[in-house]
Amino acid sequence: MRKIKEVIVVEGRYDKNALAQVVDATVITLGGFSVFNDREKVAFLRRLADKQGLIVLTDSDGAGFVIRNYLKGALPKDWVKQAYIPDIRGKERRKRAPGKEGKLGVEGMRPDVLLEVLRRCGATFLDGPEETQPAKAPITKADLFELGLTGGPDSAAKRKALLKRLDLPEHLTANGLLEALNLLYDRESLCREMEPL
């Protein structure tokens, strides 16, 4: 079990239970959409973010992105890391039927997938040396434009195809895509991924 410095924020208690099997970290549940009306919880999250940083880990469905976007506006960007689970079709064992969009949520992810998602978002592991990565030039909005992912007649289709190829959530906006790409790739490796698009 890996120890993580940041506080991890998830939608509900089943997500928290899934993470408890994988990491030793403080995990806070939002209670789904109830966080929208809970100023005290948001203030508490701000304090935690200031003290040790936050990782937002929501489901990859539309509801998860509504919650994630709300938190992006409510919390200082410099203190928050965004962790994205892949879009995987299926249903959690405890449920009778799949969710509205037919995707697995955080609770349905395998432990190795959760660890990789946390590693990719830049989680601070406290229990061992992590591989050090050389600094890389960030991917910019201009790069997305040059690659045809924004500003063109078929950019939305290209973005959708890229999201599918990279196993990223389909609800990412252009800005969310930029953020996720900078966590996962440098410009050169992104261009390689784009080649047959």
Side-chain angles (χ1 to χ4, degrees):
M1 190 171 304
R2 303 297 308 272
K3 187 170 181 58
I4 292 179
K5 174 190 171 210
E6 292 88 358
V7 173
I8 303 172
V9 178
V10 295
E11 291 179 54
R13 62 188 172 110
Y14 292 105
D15 301 332
K16 181 176 183 173
N17 292 344
L19 281 171
Q21 309 302 312
V22 179
V23 294
D24 176 7
T26 303
V27 181
I28 303 289
T29 60
L30 297 172
F33 290 145
S34 69
V35 72
F36 299 158
N37 300 316
D38 193 341
R39 291 178 187 213
E40 290 177 1
K41 183 166 269 186
V42 173
F44 177 59
L45 292 175
R46 274 196 204 103
R47 286 191 6 237
L48 290 172
D50 182 35
K51 184 174 181 193
Q52 61 193 97
L54 281 182
I55 296 172
V56 175
L57 179 59
T58 62
D59 294 349
S60 61
D61 60 7
F65 273 81
V66 168
I67 293 168
R68 182 185 297 275
N69 289 332
Y70 171 77
L71 292 176
K72 278 184 178 180
L75 301 171
K77 186 179 178 183
D78 295 345
W79 302 337
V80 180
K81 296 175 182 176
Q82 301 290 332
Y84 297 97
I85 62 171
D87 275 342
I88 298 175
R89 299 225 107 9
K91 74 169 193 66
E92 285 79 13
R93 276 188 265 155
R94 71 177 178 86
K95 294 181 179 176
R96 291 182 185 197
K100 185 176 172 183
E101 295 180 32
K103 300 175 185 177
L104 289 177
V106 170
E107 70 173 280
M109 293 291 125
R110 292 188 329 263
D112 60 314
V113 172
L114 289 173
L115 271 177
E116 179 63 12
V117 161
L118 291 168
R119 187 190 66 74
R120 283 179 167 187
C121 85
T124 308
F125 290 94
L126 300 174
D127 58 353
E130 287 300 304
E131 58 214 58
T132 55
Q133 306 220 351
K136 58 183 181 178
I139 299 166
T140 65
K141 286 186 176 184
D143 293 328
L144 295 186
F145 180 79
E146 187 180 318
L147 293 167
L149 295 168
T150 60
D154 60 345
S155 329
K158 279 189 175 178
R159 271 198 315 277
K160 187 174 181 177
L162 181 66
L163 289 169
K164 187 172 179 79
R165 175 177 297 161
L166 301 180
D167 206 16
L168 290 171
E170 67 183 339
H171 292 284
L172 280 177
T173 61
N175 285 338
L177 172 63
L178 183 63
E179 184 176 44
L181 289 175
N182 273 306
L183 291 170
L184 304 172
Y185 299 94
D186 56 26
R187 192 175 193 290
E188 185 180 323
S189 61
L190 175 61
C191 288
R192 282 195 304 271
E193 291 289 345
M194 293 279 305
E195 277 175 6
L197 276 182

